[in-house]
Amino acid sequence: MRKLGILLGGALTLAACASRTPPPPPDMNNVLMAPGFMAHASSANQFELESAQLALQSSQNPAVRNFANVLITDHTMMGQQMGAAAAAARVGPPPIALLPPEQAMLDQLRSAGTGYSFDQAFQQDQIQAHQQGIALMQNYSTGGDLAPLRAVAAQAIPVMQKHLAMAQSLVVTPPPPPPPPPPPPPPVRRSGERG
């Protein structure tokens, strides 16, 4: 009888240990679940901040620089709202890191140089990033798992639509060609020379 009790106790102990195994890591590709959504939304937000700061360094176009300042203001606020929503939902704060797609876009933008070539790349990246960001926010706001994060996603949509419209309407033109060189001066005639 004692052996049976020991075996039964051991089996119960093993069963209790088995139920304490840590849960599997969250699927970071499922953007309808909070961990995946926050990773992708935070990466997109960080890309906007870093690319806008790069625009302030690399562009002389006043429209591009103004747009960059709008992005910095709005995406700083969006990051703060996401952090507050994550706290309200009792999940960890969103990671502040670029995922590989956003890192690749930022690296490509850095290699675009300055001036007109940068402005063109910046405009295209902003259009693409905001189209993707709007889709992410729309999907999560209608089908995401946590209400506080769904609310933040819904609030972000009109701001990001405004950014998309601004990016699409940016006037990015090549610099004017340099003026032609002045014509050579007419030959000087000396007195007494015949022409």
Side-chain angles (χ1 to χ4, degrees), residues 31-32 37 136-146 149-150:
V31 294
L32 294 179
F37 168 71
L136 174 69
M137 296 299 167
Q138 286 173 332
N139 289 337
Y140 193 84
S141 70
T142 58
D145 61 340
L146 297 176
L149 294 175
R150 282 195 311 267

Side-chain angles (χ1 to χ4, degrees), residues 21-102:
T21 57
D27 181 3
M28 299 308 269
N29 292 317
N30 184 349
V31 294
L32 294 179
M33 301 297 288
F37 168 71
M38 288 195 313
H40 286 267
S42 180
S43 178
N45 199 60
Q46 192 63 29
F47 170 78
E48 294 301 335
L49 291 169
E50 291 187 34
S51 65
Q53 290 165 349
L54 187 58
L56 293 177
Q57 298 168 9
S58 301
S59 178
Q60 298 305 312
N61 184 324
V64 169
R65 295 174 63 80
N66 179 58
F67 181 43
N69 282 318
V70 169
L71 291 174
I72 290 169
T73 299
D74 290 350
H75 282 278
T76 298
M77 186 178 359
M78 289 167 72
Q80 292 167 349
Q81 290 169 341
M82 181 71 70
R90 293 192 170 98
V91 293
I96 311 254
L98 292 174
L99 294 175
E102 285 80 15

Side-chain angles (χ1 to χ4, degrees), residues 134 153-163:
I134 289 167
Q155 290 173 340
I157 294 168
V159 175
M160 294 178 76
Q161 288 171 332
K162 175 187 84 168
H163 293 172

